[in-house]
Amino acid sequence: MLPRFFRSSKRSFKSLSEQEILALAIASEEDDARIYRAYADQLKAAYPASAQVLEDMAEVENTHRKSLIEIHRQRFGERIPLIRREHVQGFYERKPDWLRMNLSLEAVRQEAETMEEQAYRFYVEAAKQTSDASTRQLLGDLALAEQGHEDIARMLGDKHTPEGVKDAEDDTARRQFVLTYVQPGLAGLMDGSVSTLAPIFAAAFATQDTWQTFLVGLSASVGAGISMGFTEAAHDDGKISGRGSPIKRGLACGIMTTLGGLGHALPYLIPQFWTATITAVVIVFFELWAIAFIQNRYMETPFLRAAFQVVVGGGLVLAAGILIGNG
């Protein structure tokens, strides 16, 4: 009873016949060609040169498929068994289309390299289970071809994406990352770090109750995060501005706003007032430094100017909160 209960619905790789191995290889090459074309369609508008590389990779996979079908026809006839990677234990898997959408250019390149590495391992193991000389030779050749696909991709890249084009595509990807994540996240971090200084430190010096101060800081941070997130998401749909998905921008802005406020609210979980306040002030310093660093790193703002602007602005808000709390 127990063996039947734990029995897998998938076949073990070692149990496959030579015909089934060939059928599995044919189906896998078909799937990989479709995946490369799907990637190419995603990248065509923004990265036409890299899209062409993937189109060429799909053609290579089709060549492999034709070779496999030919040897299957010679050995086993026209009927190819229906067996796919999801039917076999431990066989490398491919993500469905909806999990591969909206990948970055670098993520697509990495995914393609992983696909070829996995295909190489499959052909190596498949060749070990094959006794027919011609089939074994083909599988070995395909293993070498898959192993060399990284070099093929590089050669195709040299053909379709010379250095200047690659640099331009990388610049486009970086700019999209900045527009979709960095700008909204930075706006949120600045709002959360600076705008919550006054209410948190005003509450701290007015009550000198660390728990009440923490509650004020928590409510101010979460409220600001929700407000900023919805505001950013509703600002525009990204189609005309090119700023990307409003949901991604809203999440980046809302999360960073909340984190910016929580940074100097969490120290007030410490019961001792002055210990909590000094810790919060130190954290504020690091928050302001992080804002200046991000502005310098991604917005190309001179670091000293960014630091001066942030420190002066943050210092004024902090002073206002302390003065109000002592008033």
Side-chain angles (χ1 to χ4, degrees):
M1 188 65 164
L2 284 176
R4 290 183 62 188
F5 180 77
F6 288 106
R7 185 180 301 165
S8 172
S9 61
K10 296 184 177 183
R11 295 274 301 277
S12 68
F13 185 73
K14 290 186 177 180
S15 72
L16 300 181
S17 67
E18 293 189 14
Q19 183 182 15
E20 289 171 328
I21 288 175
L22 282 175
L24 184 57
I26 291 167
S28 299
E29 294 290 352
E30 289 175 346
D31 288 347
D32 287 354
R34 292 192 189 99
I35 291 171
Y36 284 136
R37 289 201 170 93
Y39 284 148
D41 290 340
Q42 292 178 35
L43 299 178
K44 189 175 297 181
Y47 311 107
S50 289
Q52 185 59 53
V53 171
L54 291 165
E55 289 282 1
D56 287 351
M57 293 295 287
E59 287 302 318
V60 173
E61 300 301 310
N62 275 332
T63 301
H64 293 175
R65 177 183 61 85
K66 291 176 182 177
S67 299
L68 288 163
I69 290 175
E70 182 59 32
I71 200 165
H72 183 280
R73 180 180 288 115
Q74 293 172 7
R75 293 193 59 198
F76 303 108
E78 296 290 334
R79 297 185 182 274
I80 301 174
L82 177 59
I83 182 168
R84 308 180 74 86
R85 53 172 61 97
E86 59 266 26
H87 302 152
V88 181
Q89 291 177 358
F91 197 81
Y92 60 97
E93 296 182 357
R94 297 287 187 259
K95 296 178 182 179
D97 285 346
W98 59 86
L99 294 180
R100 295 196 307 268
M101 295 178 66
N102 300 320
L103 292 179
S104 66
L105 176 61
E106 190 56 38
V108 169
R109 289 172 178 168
Q110 184 61 47
E111 184 74 12
E113 290 181 14
T114 301
M115 287 170 60
E116 298 308 325
E117 180 183 352
Q118 292 173 340
Y120 163 73
R121 289 199 297 266
F122 162 67
Y123 281 121
V124 168
E125 294 302 317
K128 293 178 182 178
Q129 289 188 216
T130 306
S131 59
D132 178 74
S134 59
T135 305
R136 191 182 185 105
Q137 180 179 352
L138 175 61
L139 294 174
D141 291 342
L142 291 177
L144 293 176
E146 300 291 353
Q147 189 179 35
H149 264 193
E150 185 176 351
D151 294 331
I152 293 173
R154 188 177 298 112
M155 288 187 291
L156 291 172
D158 292 338
K159 173 184 175 184
H160 295 294
T161 56
E163 197 62 35
V165 175
K166 290 180 181 177
D167 291 343
E169 290 186 342
D170 290 340
D171 288 343
T172 301
R174 181 181 183 277
R175 186 183 63 206
Q176 191 62 57
F177 174 75
V178 170
L179 289 173
T180 304
Y181 296 102
V182 178
Q183 275 189 354
L186 179 61
L189 183 61
M190 291 178 68
D191 184 85
S193 298
V194 177
S195 68
T196 58
L197 287 175
I200 290 176
F201 283 95
F205 281 89
T207 65
Q208 298 206 359
D209 184 326
T210 57
W211 177 247
Q212 295 300 322
T213 302
F214 169 72
L215 292 179
V216 170
L218 179 63
S219 60
S221 302
V222 173
I226 294 172
S227 175
M228 288 288 289
F230 274 102
T231 300
E232 177 61 40
H235 184 66
D236 70 77
D237 59 9
K239 293 180 180 178
I240 296 177
S241 65
R243 297 180 65 220
S245 166
I247 295 177
K248 293 178 180 178
R249 297 194 332 265
L251 286 173
C253 186
I255 290 171
M256 293 307 294
T257 301
T258 303
L259 291 177
L262 285 178
H264 44 269
L266 289 175
Y268 283 99
L269 288 172
I270 302 171
Q272 293 77 23
F273 173 75
W274 284 109
T275 302
T277 300
I278 292 171
T279 304
V281 170
V282 171
I283 290 176
V284 168
F285 168 79
F286 282 105
E287 289 173 348
L288 298 180
W289 179 88
I291 292 171
F293 172 79
I294 294 171
Q295 285 183 321
N296 174 255
R297 176 70 174 80
Y298 292 100
M299 306 300 178
E300 299 180 359
T301 304
F303 183 79
L304 291 179
R305 190 175 78 184
F308 178 77
Q309 292 173 344
V310 172
V311 169
V312 171
L316 290 174
V317 177
L318 176 61
I322 294 173
L323 289 173
I324 294 171
N326 285 320

